Amino acid sequence: MSHPRIRRTRRIGGARTPGPRTPVLLAVPALVAVAFLLVPLLGILTRTAWGELGAHLSTPGVTEALRLSLYVSFGALGLSVVLGVPLAWLLARVRFPGKAFVRSLVLLPMVLPPTVGGVALLLGFGRRGLLGPWLESTFGVTLPFHASGAVVAATFVAMPFLVISLEGALAGLRPAYEETAASLGASPVRVFFTVTLPMVAPGLAAGAALTWARALGEFGATITFAGNLPGSTQTLPLQVYLLLQDEPEAATSVSLLLLAIAMAVLVALRGRWTGGANDHTQRGSSGIGIRSRKEPAEHVVAPDGATAPGRPEPKPEPEPEPEPQPAVTRQLVPLHAGITGFNHLTLDADPGTTIAVVGPNGAGKTTLLRALLGLTPRSHAALRLGDVDVSALPPHRRGVAWVPQDGALFPHLSALSNTAYGLRAQGASRAEARRAARAWLDRLGVGHLAHRRPAQLSGGQAQRVALARALAPDPRLLLLDEPLAALDQTTRAQVRHTLRAHLSGFGGVCLIVTHDPVEAVSLADRVLVLEDGRTLQDAPPAEVTRHPRSPWVARMLGRNALAGTATSDSTLTLADGGRLVIADPLDAGSTALAIIAPEAVSLHRTHPEGSPRNVWSGTVREITSLGSRLRVLLATDQGPGLVAEITPQAAADLGLADGTSVYASVKATEITLVRT
C-alpha cells in the first residue's frame, strides 16, 4: 500500500507545472524539524516587551557591552582574515605531509565545547600556560581577563568558518586561471591578489560574514578565558547571561538584537554558505555565478562595461570586424628542449616555426605543454629559448605564454584589462599597458569589444582576446592547447584565419595541440605525433598526410589504417587475423601500415566481379554528410572496420541506409604501405 504524497508545482514562464510528489514519510519529519527550530525564535518574538525595547537597549550596560562586542567581533574577523586566508590557500592548493591533521585542527573548534576551548586557551596562552609567560616577559602582553583575550577566544571559535568557506571556494576555482596568470609573467603573490582573491571573493565574503557573526555571539570560550569584566570583557552574550538573573525582559530584548543581527547575516549570504542555487545561475564552490552561453543574458551592457541586472541584453546589430593583421614580434627565438619523465623526446625548432602536436588521448600532449611551462611533476623539460636556459626558472619568469582550451579569461576583468595583464605583470605602467593591449585587440579584430567582460563575449571573440593576451607580453614561446576545440565550424574557420594571419609574423616558436587535421595542415609547419609520451613522427604536414606512421593519425586524417605483417605471397596479415592483398611486396616478417583512402573503397550490393583482390562483406553502421559527398562507416563480417566515401547519387542507387548489407572492395594498387 503506497503512502499519500504531497504534490509540488513549479512556475515556468508564469505558468505552474506539476513537480515531483514529496512522500509524507519524509515531509512530516521535515515539518517537525522546521517547527522545532522555529518555536524558540517565536518564543523570543512573542515574549519581547516591544514597548520597552528601546529603553532596554539604551541602558549604559547594554551599550557598553555592544561596543565591546563590536570591538571583539571585528578584531576576531581581522585576525581570522590575516591567519585564515593563507591557511585556506595552503589547504586548497598545496600537498604536504600532515594535511589531514591540519584540516582536523581547523575543524576542532567547531565540535569542541566552547568552555573546553576556553580551558585550552588558558593552558596555552594563560599566565601559567605554554606561551603565556613568554608573551608577558617578551612583549608585555597578558591575554586572560583582557579585551585582547576576548578577541583571541572569539578568533579561536570563529576562524574555522572562514577557512572552510574559503577553502571550498579555492577548491572550486580551476587552477588554469592561476597557471595562465603565471605564464603571463605574474609572480605567485601577484596571482594571489589579482586573480585568486577576486575570483573567490564571494566565498571569502560568506566566510567573513559567518566568522563575524559567530565571534559576535561567542560566550563559553570568552567567559572561561577572558572572564566577565564590565567594560573590559563583558560582551553582549555575557550581558544576556547576567540580565537573565535579575531582568528577564531586558535579557529577551538583548537576545532579540543578537537574533536580528544573525538573521541579517544569513539573509545577506543568500545561500552562499549553504550552497543554495537560484534557478538562473549555476554556482561553483567558489560562489561565482557561471552562465551558460546558450542561456539568455540577464544583463544589459552599459557604456563602461557595467551590467544592469534584471533586463535582457538587447541583441546588437552585427558589427564588421577589422581584418586581423600579422604582428611582428621583437624577438627571433629558436627552441631546444629535452623532455624526460612521462614524455621522453627532444624538440628543436627555428624561430617562427609552428608545430602541431597530435596523438590519441593519453599520449602526453598536454603534459608536454605543461612540462615546457614547468607546471607538472610528470615530466621535466630542459628548455633553452634562444641563448637562455630557462629550465630552472619558475613559470612566471620563463617567457612562455599559454592559452588553455577555453582561454581561461579572468571573468572579473574586461577584455582590455585581460590583455593588459601580462604587460602590467612585467612592470609596464597602466596607461602604457592599456595602450599596447588595445593595439593587440585591434590587430586581432576585437578592439571594439575592449570594454566587455568574458561572459559577454562569444566563443570566437573570447579566443581572440585570449590570444591577444598571450601575445601582448611578447613571449618567446607560445603554447596553444586545443584553442579551437570548443568553437562551432563557422567560428572555428574565422579564428583559424586570425591565428594563421598572426603566426606568420610571430618570431618565437608556437606549439598547438589539436585533434583537427585541418588545423594541423593549415596552421603548422611541422606535425609532431606523440604516442605514450614518445615521438612517433615529426615531419611536415604533407609528409604526415601522405605517409602517416600511426593508425590514429591516419584515421584523424580521414583514412583507413590497417596494421599488419608482410608474408612471402604479397599479402599483409592483419592484427585481427584477416589478410590484405598488396601490389608492392615487402620482406616477409616486416611490419607495415596499410593506408587506404576512403575514396578507394567501393561499395556493392552483390559480390563484385573482376579486378578487386580485397573484398569484405559487411553492414552499414552510419552515414554522414561531408560537404558534397557522403561518408559511410562499415562493420565488416570478417575483417577491419572501413570508411568509404561516395556521392549522394551512388548512395541512392545502392539504396544505402543504416543496417544495409553491402560488399566493400579495394584494389591492391590503391593501397599505400608505410613501414613501421
Side-chain angles (χ1 to χ4, degrees), residues 604-610 612 614-617 662-663:
H604 317 266
R605 291 304 299 271
T606 60
H607 196 288
E609 303 294 339
N614 301 290
V615 179
W616 299 273
S617 61
V662 296
Y663 288 89

Side-chain angles (χ1 to χ4, degrees), residues 55-388:
H56 289 159
L57 298 182
S58 60
T59 60
V62 172
T63 55
E64 179 62 25
L66 176 60
R67 182 197 64 79
L68 186 60
S69 291
L70 293 175
Y71 168 79
V72 169
S73 59
F74 281 110
L77 175 59
L79 192 57
S80 296
V81 168
V82 171
L83 301 179
V85 170
L87 178 57
W89 180 87
L90 189 74
L91 291 172
R93 285 287 185 265
V94 180
R95 294 183 179 181
F96 59 90
K99 186 174 182 177
F101 174 73
V102 173
R103 185 175 284 113
S104 298
L105 282 180
V106 171
L107 297 173
L108 184 62
M110 300 182 71
V111 298
L112 199 66
T115 52
V116 176
V119 172
L121 289 171
L122 275 174
L123 298 178
F125 300 102
R127 291 182 174 179
R128 297 182 180 180
L130 296 177
L131 294 180
W134 176 76
L135 289 174
E136 187 172 0
S137 61
T138 305
F139 302 102
V141 174
T142 302
L143 295 178
F145 305 105
H146 190 270
S148 59
V151 172
V152 170
T155 303
F156 179 78
V157 298
M159 188 171 67
F161 290 90
L162 178 70
V163 175
I164 293 172
S165 179
L166 186 56
E167 183 190 356
L170 288 166
L173 179 64
R174 292 191 304 113
Y177 292 109
E178 296 160 303
E179 293 168 348
T180 302
S183 76
L184 294 171
S187 67
V189 174
R190 186 182 186 92
V191 171
F192 180 75
F193 284 106
T194 61
V195 174
T196 307
L197 272 187
M199 293 188 67
V200 299
L204 177 60
L210 287 169
T211 298
W212 178 77
R214 180 64 184 89
L216 184 69
E218 173 50 30
F219 174 81
T222 301
I223 197 172
T224 306
F225 181 60
N228 185 16
L229 304 177
S232 180
T233 64
Q234 190 178 93
T235 58
L236 275 180
L238 275 64
Q239 180 75 8
V240 171
Y241 176 73
L242 293 178
L243 289 174
L244 275 175
Q245 302 175 24
D246 302 320
E247 302 179 63
E249 292 183 350
T252 304
S253 297
V254 177
S255 299
L256 180 63
L257 174 61
L258 289 171
L259 173 62
I261 294 173
M263 288 301 299
V265 169
L266 294 177
V267 170
L269 292 179
R270 292 192 299 275
R272 292 190 188 277
W273 172 258
T274 59
N278 57 42
D279 295 334
H280 307 288
T281 304
Q282 299 173 349
R283 295 188 184 274
S285 56
S286 62
I288 302 170
I290 303 172
R291 178 174 57 82
S292 170
R293 294 190 190 275
K294 295 184 179 180
E295 296 176 3
E298 298 293 335
H299 54 262
V300 175
V301 181
D304 61 352
T307 59
R311 291 180 292 163
E313 179 181 357
K315 294 184 179 179
E317 294 295 325
E319 299 180 62
E321 296 186 349
E323 182 71 13
Q325 305 170 10
V328 180
T329 56
R330 297 187 299 271
Q331 306 180 76
L332 295 177
V333 184
L335 172 145
H336 173 78
I339 317 297
T340 56
F342 176 79
N343 293 79
H344 195 85
L345 58 100
T346 299
L347 195 60
D348 290 284
D350 294 328
T353 303
T354 299
I355 303 173
V357 183
V358 302
N361 291 333
K365 303 182 297 296
T366 299
T367 302
L368 170 62
L369 301 193
R370 294 177 66 82
L372 294 173
L373 277 163
L375 292 175
T376 177
R378 297 188 67 196
S379 293
H380 171 73
L383 177 61
R384 178 176 290 275
L385 296 176
D387 297 328
V388 181

Side-chain angles (χ1 to χ4, degrees), residues 482-495:
E482 299 191 56
L484 312 182
L487 307 180
D488 59 68
Q489 290 295 336
T490 302
T491 306
R492 184 179 299 179
Q494 295 172 350
V495 178

Side-chain angles (χ1 to χ4, degrees), residues 471-491:
L471 293 165
D474 195 24
R476 292 177 286 184
L477 173 62
L478 179 63
L479 308 177
L480 308 178
D481 192 356
E482 299 191 56
L484 312 182
L487 307 180
D488 59 68
Q489 290 295 336
T490 302
T491 306

Side-chain angles (χ1 to χ4, degrees), residues 6-79:
I6 298 175
R7 188 177 181 83
R8 294 187 299 165
T9 61
R10 55 194 177 111
R11 185 179 297 275
I12 299 180
R16 288 187 176 274
T17 59
R21 295 177 180 271
T22 303
V24 172
L25 280 178
L26 299 179
V28 171
L31 292 174
V32 171
V34 171
F36 174 74
L37 297 173
L38 187 59
V39 167
L41 305 183
L42 294 176
I44 292 179
L45 294 175
T46 57
R47 295 302 178 92
T48 298
W50 296 97
E52 301 179 10
L53 182 62
H56 289 159
L57 298 182
S58 60
T59 60
V62 172
T63 55
E64 179 62 25
L66 176 60
R67 182 197 64 79
L68 186 60
S69 291
L70 293 175
Y71 168 79
V72 169
S73 59
F74 281 110
L77 175 59
L79 192 57

